[in-house]
Amino acid sequence: MSEPTSRRKDAHLDLCATGEVEPAGASTLFAQVSLVHDALPDLAVEDIDLGTRWMGKRLRAPLLITGMTGGSDRAGKVNRELAAAAEKCGIAFGLGSQRAMSESATWAESYRVRDVAPNTLLLGNIGLIQAQKLGPKGCLGLMDRVGADGLCLHLNPAQELTQPEGDRDFRGGLELVRALASELGEKLVVKETGCGISPQVARRLVSAGVRNIDVSGAGGTSWVRVEALRADRQAARLGEEMAAWGIPTAAATASVARAVGGKAMVIAAGGIRSGLEIAKALALGADLAGAALPVFRAQQAGGQAGAEREIEHLVQGLVRALLLTGSRNVAELRKKPRVVSGELSNWIGSLAEVP
Ligand SMILES: Cc1cc2nc3c(=O)[nH]c(=O)nc-3n(C[C@H](O)[C@H](O)[C@H](O)COP(=O)(O)O)c2cc1C
């Protein structure tokens, strides 16, 4: 990867650290889910069990720091501090796109986290177009080079279209997914990056052999907005028009969980900012929840300790939500009543009408 591309990685981090990357016009719609209060829970905090198994590893809570970065010295520090925080807190951690190290060995160091996160469920990451160039064996190699337990394949057509130098040809995606699923099996995660996975796409993914889907929906970090902030006037205007584009995370989570019917793990991400929202996502059918921006910002403000505090904040909020719904664990939470209102109810109903 060229030096200017590495600088672009840092520009992305700068924009995400302080910029308005969460458009006000987009919403996860989690505000339209209410869990029902149990005034008489027959439980103590210590009874709450958040433990989850994923890819053969045990997580202390069903939580993942979703992939963000790599490919510059600054990115390397972010990866190491976040991975160390994930190790300490017992949650999963995703590296950002490994495109940089696939193009130049110089940047491999910025993805090296296994020494600080020896037990963590670690995920590699590559984009669809790059994966097409590398082929399934090349993708497997990327995973092995960082000692990852799995690999996230990210889909980001809206971001690419907003980037003046981005890709314009997205043909052959499902074929590649099928080839990758046959090579990686349960180690493959297919994820969006903030525009969401629809139940229709989820069914195509499952039929191609995918067993883990991260819906990364709208309402949190918008990559269209990030690219619009970097673009020249013409591209910025087009990008800004689409800044709120995407399926709200709550709608994607509920619809995808229903569509895959247990044939794939569903990860709810995109705008998850509290333990209560994680509880709502789990109640809607997610198996795990993921967050990127808030953990990154906490790391920027307070290093590894700051990231750990943010993760603990999310976990404690989740514990409270379980206790106050009278749920000992996620399986019990799913059986509790919940109220889905307004626009979210419309989204879920409309998405269910199309096979
Ligand atoms: C700084 C930053 C960098 C990101 N880079 C990647 C990436 O390289 N690959 C990827 O799959 N997703 C990437 N994402 C997307 C996240 O993994 C996630 O899907 C999305 O941001 C929604 O989560 P959030 O609203 O909690 O940030 C990035 C997100 C952030 C904030």
Side-chain angles (χ1 to χ4, degrees):
M1 188 169 76
S2 63
E3 205 48 39
T5 320
S6 175
R7 277 201 293 275
R8 189 172 72 212
K9 287 274 155 193
D10 284 348
H12 279 156
L13 290 184
D14 275 335
L15 282 168
C16 287
T18 55
E20 294 279 325
V21 296
E22 298 176 280
S27 166
T28 59
L29 298 184
F30 278 118
Q32 300 190 1
V33 187
S34 298
L35 303 176
V36 178
H37 178 59
D38 180 344
L40 205 55
D42 195 16
L43 286 172
V45 165
E46 65 193 39
D47 294 331
I48 308 293
D49 179 10
L50 297 177
T52 307
R53 285 196 77 77
W54 193 29
M55 295 194 184
K57 286 197 169 165
R58 189 178 158 74
L59 306 181
R60 207 186 110 226
L63 189 56
L64 160 74
I65 303 173
T66 59
M68 283 183 264
T69 201
S72 72
D73 293 335
R74 180 175 170 198
K77 183 169 155 59
V78 173
N79 274 336
R80 288 178 75 75
E81 292 192 355
L82 292 183
E87 174 86 13
K88 190 95 173 281
C89 299
I91 65 165
F93 173 71
L95 293 162
S97 169
Q98 290 174 261
R99 177 176 181 175
M101 65 176 278
S102 80
E103 291 177 354
S104 160
T106 318
W107 297 117
E109 176 64 18
S110 66
Y111 300 88
R112 189 171 60 82
V113 297
R114 253 305 172 223
D115 55 326
V116 294
N119 305 302
T120 300
L121 196 170
L122 176 66
L123 300 170
N125 189 299
I126 194 75
L128 178 77
I129 309 285
Q130 208 59 27
Q132 279 173 327
K133 291 180 190 150
L134 289 168
K137 289 271 186 280
C139 292
L140 193 64
L142 271 189
M143 217 178 101
D144 289 343
R145 282 170 66 195
V146 294
D149 300 288
L151 183 76
C152 295
L153 175 75
H154 72 254
L155 314 176
N156 64 342
Q159 179 188 7
E160 294 291 346
L161 288 177
T162 314
Q163 245 180 356
E165 71 276 28
D167 292 306
R168 296 289 183 266
D169 182 352
F170 306 99
R171 289 174 292 185
L174 194 63
E175 270 165 58
L176 171 83
V177 167
R178 190 170 286 116
L180 271 180
S182 111
E183 184 74 32
L184 297 175
E186 309 225 329
K187 294 178 194 294
L188 177 67
V189 181
V190 177
K191 77 186 284 291
E192 239 290 345
T193 53
C195 291
I197 302 272
S198 68
Q200 290 73 28
V201 167
R203 275 193 283 267
R204 288 160 70 200
L205 293 174
V206 167
S207 71
V210 175
R211 295 294 169 257
N212 302 283
I213 299 174
D214 171 344
V215 303
S216 275
T221 309
S222 159
W223 279 92
V224 174
R225 165 63 64 78
V226 174
E227 296 300 347
L229 290 171
R230 287 180 56 238
D232 62 23
R233 262 180 51 201
Q234 186 69 6
R237 197 175 150 212
L238 268 170
E240 205 40 53
E241 284 167 11
M242 302 292 277
W245 176 261
I247 306 164
T249 298
T253 301
S255 310
V256 167
R258 192 183 288 176
V260 304
K263 289 192 190 132
M265 295 284 278
V266 176
I267 300 113
I272 299 258
R273 301 293 178 258
S274 69
L276 177 56
E277 286 169 347
I278 296 174
K280 290 179 179 182
L282 297 170
L284 292 176
D287 298 289
L288 297 138
L293 194 69
V295 194
F296 168 64
R297 287 188 168 169
Q299 179 273 339
Q300 292 291 290
Q304 180 187 331
E308 285 172 21
R309 278 193 296 276
E310 182 65 20
I311 296 164
E312 283 310 322
H313 171 77
L314 293 173
V315 172
Q316 290 315 315
L318 177 57
V319 167
R320 282 170 193 221
L322 260 74
L323 189 131
L324 292 176
T325 52
S327 318
R328 198 173 296 270
N329 51 41
V330 174
E332 287 188 11
L333 173 68
R334 290 219 182 105
K335 291 186 197 132
K336 302 289 175 181
R338 59 182 167 271
V339 182
V340 175
S341 57
E343 200 183 338
L344 178 57
S345 178
N346 292 344
W347 263 99
I348 296 172
S350 299
L351 287 174
E353 279 169 19
V354 185

